Amino acid sequence: MANHIGIIGSGSWSTALAKILTDNNNHIHWWIRNEETIKHMQLRHHNKHYLTSVYFDTSLLSLNSRAAEVVAASDIVILSVPSAFLPAVLEQLPADAFDGKKVISAIKGLVPVTNQLINDYLAERFNVPAEKYFTITGPCHAEEVANEKLSYLTFSGTDLEEAESIAAHFTNSYLQTIANTDLNGVQLAAVLKNIYAMGAGIAHGLEYGDNFLSVFITNCFREMQEFLEQYGQYEAGSGREAVTHNYNASAYLGDLLVTCYSLHSRNRTFGNMIGKGYSVKAVQLELNMIAEGYYASRCIAEINGRIGAYMPIAQKIYAILWEQLHPEEAFLELEKGLI
């Protein structure tokens, strides 16, 4: 029996995921907020705002601007909206909306204000059990999926066989899949790499060269490991089972590298403009898209107030973005502590 798969979100990553699934002949229910975009897609067979080169067989699409109906029609629901918007998108859903369904997060961020991982938010708001929750992480840029460049996705869940079963819907000639059980680790790594990519962009905007950037990213990777270890100890103290992280896997180091180096990275682009002297507001208006690292920098700073990891790089990026610390001053201070 075929699964009914739903996607909540219509940005570039949602569009890339829809391409993968429909290329594999999956019928999808797709929530798109804008009715005009739905009409355009039905008529022209592509998303006019994101990945415009991707054309769909619309017989495989059920497009809907009502999220509750998409969720109700789906056995597997993929959440792919910016983390800052997730509560607003889901607020109209009843508390039992996800009962009996598998939920996959393709969101690389934390819920602002509460600083929750997506699984913790869903467990609290919708009573989604841990065994029904899965994540998709990179390294994988939507633009390369659109061009069918070979890419890799990591699927994580508490049950490895279930994660592999979910991954099978996505595997094809240009998309390879990996499965693991490090549910919290891959989510936090995805959050952190966006922050560090902003820092890499700032460094580029300040005209640091590749030699510095390689050292900077190496130290970011060390800092990521420090945070994940401290977070694991904190969680163990709260009664959660500790998980071993394979830091050399692509979901950690690989995703960090591509997000820091790639010109497709919106977080790197955001940081680059900050380094060149743009204000945060000006960058947001110029890019007209969400860079998860901006919100994540504050979430991680607040979480680390409890965790106590040594994170000078993440702290400086937070101070640049939220406390108006001058980028040049911040990086002059960072230079002295890199190893």
Side-chain angles (χ1 to χ4, degrees), residues 6-18:
I7 298 177
I8 303 296
S10 58
S12 58
W13 190 221
S14 305
T15 305
L17 293 171

Side-chain angles (χ1 to χ4, degrees), residues 283-301:
V283 177
Q284 291 172 324
L285 291 171
E286 180 78 18
L287 292 183
N288 194 31
M289 59 175 60
I290 295 295
E292 287 279 14
Y294 172 65
Y295 296 103
S297 64
R298 184 166 67 176
C299 292
I300 290 295

Side-chain angles (χ1 to χ4, degrees), residues 74-123:
S74 305
D75 305 311
I76 299 171
V77 181
I78 302 170
L79 302 177
S80 184
V81 295
S83 58
F85 300 157
L86 182 66
V89 170
L90 300 185
E91 66 181 355
Q92 300 302 322
L93 271 60
D96 62 353
F98 295 106
D99 286 4
K101 303 179 189 296
K102 296 174 183 177
V103 183
I104 307 172
S105 171
I107 300 169
K108 297 175 181 178
L110 299 163
V111 178
V113 182
T114 60
N115 301 329
Q116 288 173 297
L117 291 166
I118 306 303
N119 50 311
D120 290 332
Y121 167 77
L122 292 173

Side-chain angles (χ1 to χ4, degrees), residues 139-141 143-153 171-177 258:
C140 194
H141 283 304
E143 293 82 0
E144 293 202 351
V145 171
N147 292 323
E148 299 187 1
K149 300 285 189 182
L150 181 61
S151 302
Y152 291 74
L153 287 177
T171 306
N172 61 29
S173 62
Y174 61 86
L175 203 291
Q176 296 296 306
T177 57
V258 76

Side-chain angles (χ1 to χ4, degrees), residues 255-277:
D255 208 2
L256 173 66
L257 291 173
V258 76
T259 311
C260 287
Y261 278 117
S262 176
L263 296 179
H264 293 309
S265 169
R266 65 187 64 178
N267 289 285
R268 183 184 187 277
T269 300
F270 192 112
N272 184 51
M273 295 177 72
I274 295 292
K276 289 182 180 299

Side-chain angles (χ1 to χ4, degrees), residues 10 59 94 96 171 204 206 271 278 316 330:
S10 58
S59 69
D96 62 353
T171 306
H204 185 267
L206 291 170
Y278 287 74
K316 282 290 189 289

Side-chain angles (χ1 to χ4, degrees), residues 40-331:
H40 181 92
M41 193 172 293
Q42 289 168 335
L43 180 65
R44 302 289 186 180
H45 307 282
H46 73 113
N47 187 338
K48 68 176 183 176
H49 298 295
Y50 301 97
L51 304 188
T52 56
S53 65
V54 174
Y55 282 78
F56 292 95
D57 175 355
T58 51
S59 69
L60 294 173
L61 305 179
S62 293
L63 307 175
N64 198 321
S65 61
R66 292 174 289 279
E69 293 181 9
V70 169
V71 171
S74 305
D75 305 311
I76 299 171
V77 181
I78 302 170
L79 302 177
S80 184
V81 295
S83 58
F85 300 157
L86 182 66
V89 170
L90 300 185
E91 66 181 355
Q92 300 302 322
L93 271 60
D96 62 353
F98 295 106
D99 286 4
K101 303 179 189 296
K102 296 174 183 177
V103 183
I104 307 172
S105 171
I107 300 169
K108 297 175 181 178
L110 299 163
V111 178
V113 182
T114 60
N115 301 329
Q116 288 173 297
L117 291 166
I118 306 303
N119 50 311
D120 290 332
Y121 167 77
L122 292 173
E124 180 182 284
R125 172 69 176 80
F126 296 101
N127 201 32
V128 174
E131 62 270 19
K132 294 292 185 180
Y133 177 83
F134 305 86
T135 64
I136 302 173
T137 53
C140 194
H141 283 304
E143 293 82 0
E144 293 202 351
V145 171
N147 292 323
E148 299 187 1
K149 300 285 189 182
L150 181 61
S151 302
Y152 291 74
L153 287 177
T154 297
F155 290 78
S156 302
T158 58
D159 184 318
L160 187 61
E161 287 188 9
E162 283 287 348
E164 290 172 340
S165 176
I166 292 286
H169 292 289
F170 295 79
T171 306
N172 61 29
S173 62
Y174 61 86
L175 203 291
Q176 296 296 306
T177 57
I178 304 160
N180 76 17
T181 57
D182 188 13
L183 201 56
N184 286 358
V186 295
Q187 290 183 97
L188 288 167
V191 170
L192 289 163
K193 59 94 179 180
N194 284 332
I195 299 171
Y196 296 133
M198 285 205 163
I202 293 169
H204 185 267
L206 291 170
E207 300 186 351
Y208 285 90
D210 290 343
N211 292 338
F212 173 82
L213 196 59
S214 67
V215 175
F216 176 79
I217 296 170
T218 299
N219 281 262
C220 290
F221 186 48
R222 177 198 55 75
E223 193 170 290
M224 176 189 288
Q225 293 178 56
E226 161 80 6
F227 180 84
L228 291 178
E229 291 297 327
Q230 290 291 102
Y231 189 91
Q233 292 177 25
Y234 180 84
E235 288 289 280
S238 302
R240 291 196 183 187
E241 184 178 351
V243 176
T244 300
H245 312 289
N246 178 13
Y247 294 115
N248 294 320
S250 58
Y252 310 88
L253 179 57
D255 208 2
L256 173 66
L257 291 173
V258 76
T259 311
C260 287
Y261 278 117
S262 176
L263 296 179
H264 293 309
S265 169
R266 65 187 64 178
N267 289 285
R268 183 184 187 277
T269 300
F270 192 112
N272 184 51
M273 295 177 72
I274 295 292
K276 289 182 180 299
Y278 287 74
S279 68
V280 167
K281 188 66 175 177
V283 177
Q284 291 172 324
L285 291 171
E286 180 78 18
L287 292 183
N288 194 31
M289 59 175 60
I290 295 295
E292 287 279 14
Y294 172 65
Y295 296 103
S297 64
R298 184 166 67 176
C299 292
I300 290 295
E302 292 175 355
I303 291 172
N304 200 44
R306 302 192 304 273
I307 304 303
Y310 180 62
M311 303 184 75
I313 299 173
Q315 182 58 40
K316 282 290 189 289
I317 295 168
Y318 164 76
I320 291 168
L321 298 174
W322 293 92
E323 297 178 341
Q324 292 76 51
L325 177 62
H326 194 282
E328 187 171 353
E329 178 186 342
F331 272 73

